[in-house]
């Protein structure tokens, strides 16, 4: 299986539509142990990404990711603007010039994004952040593509991402705004882990 540039644009637009459907859920999660802006910021960002992609004629998948990342970096506040924005730009730079993605390119995409988020934010696995969704995803995906095709490897990795996301509920936050709550941050799913999972799930439903 190969993801064409047309498919990829649809994947990104599908993510924007999925975020739109989940705004209230993300707002509620962020209100529990944060400041409640995550749903609105994600939605504003991805609406603008959708608009920019619809206006763009590019067939370069790397360029699509860079356009998306720059929207988040330049126009969206909160921790997610720079973290996801930087991640998208980094992934776009790694895939510059590609008009189709094979299973290894999809690994490059998520691996670059994860590395960028970790180096910018300094979070490690278990700190109760988006990394707890993305890192298990990347590790399982890398292992799975040795023996599986893209779609099946993605499905296996998505399941580990979901476990990681749900697992943030039992963790105490060690980084970002919610870390100020110390022990009181336990018992709530991390909102960034949730938004990362929503994006991955939407990506999968586009390719499945
Ligand atoms: P803010 O806390 O500034 O309002 P958002 O609401 O946009 O930020 O995003 C909060 C999410 O960002 C958290 O749930 C967490 O997943 C993620 N996050 C915050 N700081 C970091 C960090 N340093 N590294 C990785 N992820 C982080
Ligand atoms: Mg917030």
């Amino acid at each position: 299986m190969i993801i064409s540039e047309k498919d990829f644009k649809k994947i990104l637009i599908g993510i924007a539509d999925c975020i739109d459907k989940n705004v209230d859920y993300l707002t509620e999660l962020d209100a529990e142990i944060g400041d409640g802006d995550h749903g609105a910021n994600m939605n504003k960002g991805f609406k603008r990404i959708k608009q920019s992609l619809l206006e763009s004629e590019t067939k370069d998948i790397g360029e699509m990711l860079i356009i998306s990342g720059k929207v988040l970096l330049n126009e969206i506040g909160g921790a997610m603007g720079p973290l996801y924005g930087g991640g998208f730009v980094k992934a776009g730079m790694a895939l510059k010039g590609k008009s189709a993605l094979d299973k290894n390119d999809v690994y490059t995409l998520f691996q670059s994004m994860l590395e960028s988020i970790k180096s910018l934010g300094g979070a490690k696995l278990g700190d109760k952040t988006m990394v707890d969704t993305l890192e298990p995803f990347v590790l399982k995906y890398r292992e799975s593509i040795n023996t599986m095709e893209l779609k099946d490897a993605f499905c296996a990795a998505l399941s580990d991402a979901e476990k990681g996301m749900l697992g943030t509920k039992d963790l105490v936050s060690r980084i970002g705004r919610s870390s100020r709550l110390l022990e009181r941050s336990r018992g709530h799913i991390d909102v960034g882990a949730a938004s990362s999972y929503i994006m991955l799930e939407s990506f999968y439903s586009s390719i499945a």
Side-chain angles (χ1 to χ4, degrees), residues 85-174:
F88 273 69
V89 168
K90 205 63 188 287
M93 282 158 54
L95 296 173
K96 197 95 193 19
K98 295 219 176 260
S99 56
L101 303 182
D102 64 16
K103 64 182 179 181
N104 294 308
D105 297 323
V106 171
Y107 172 69
T108 300
L109 193 171
F110 289 107
Q111 163 66 12
S112 318
M113 186 172 292
L114 173 65
E115 277 316 308
S116 167
I117 290 169
K118 287 176 76 177
S119 70
L120 187 68
K124 293 186 296 295
L125 196 67
D127 285 348
K128 196 176 176 105
T129 70
M130 51 183 69
V131 171
D132 295 323
T133 299
L134 295 169
E135 188 156 304
F137 177 86
V138 168
L139 293 177
K140 186 67 174 186
Y141 183 80
R142 181 175 60 194
E143 179 195 315
S144 302
I145 51 174
N146 289 323
T147 54
M148 294 176 193
E149 277 318 305
L150 201 170
K151 210 192 332 168
D152 294 334
F154 204 109
C155 184
L158 186 63
S159 164
D160 277 19
E162 184 178 29
K163 281 184 208 135
M165 180 272 290
L166 294 172
T168 62
K169 185 164 182 179
D170 303 321
L171 298 172
V172 170
S173 170
R174 285 199 288 250

Side-chain angles (χ1 to χ4, degrees), residues 9 12 21 25 32 36 43 66-67 73 81 86 92 150 158 161 170 179 188:
K9 198 184 248 197
L12 290 176
K21 289 195 193 97
Y25 172 61
E32 287 172 15
N43 206 21
I66 292 171
I67 290 172
L73 276 174
L150 201 170
L158 186 63
D170 303 321
S179 65
H188 307 271

Side-chain angles (χ1 to χ4, degrees), residues 30 34-38 41 78-79 177 191:
D30 197 25
D35 58 358
D37 67 343
H38 195 77
N41 282 340
R177 192 182 297 278
V191 72

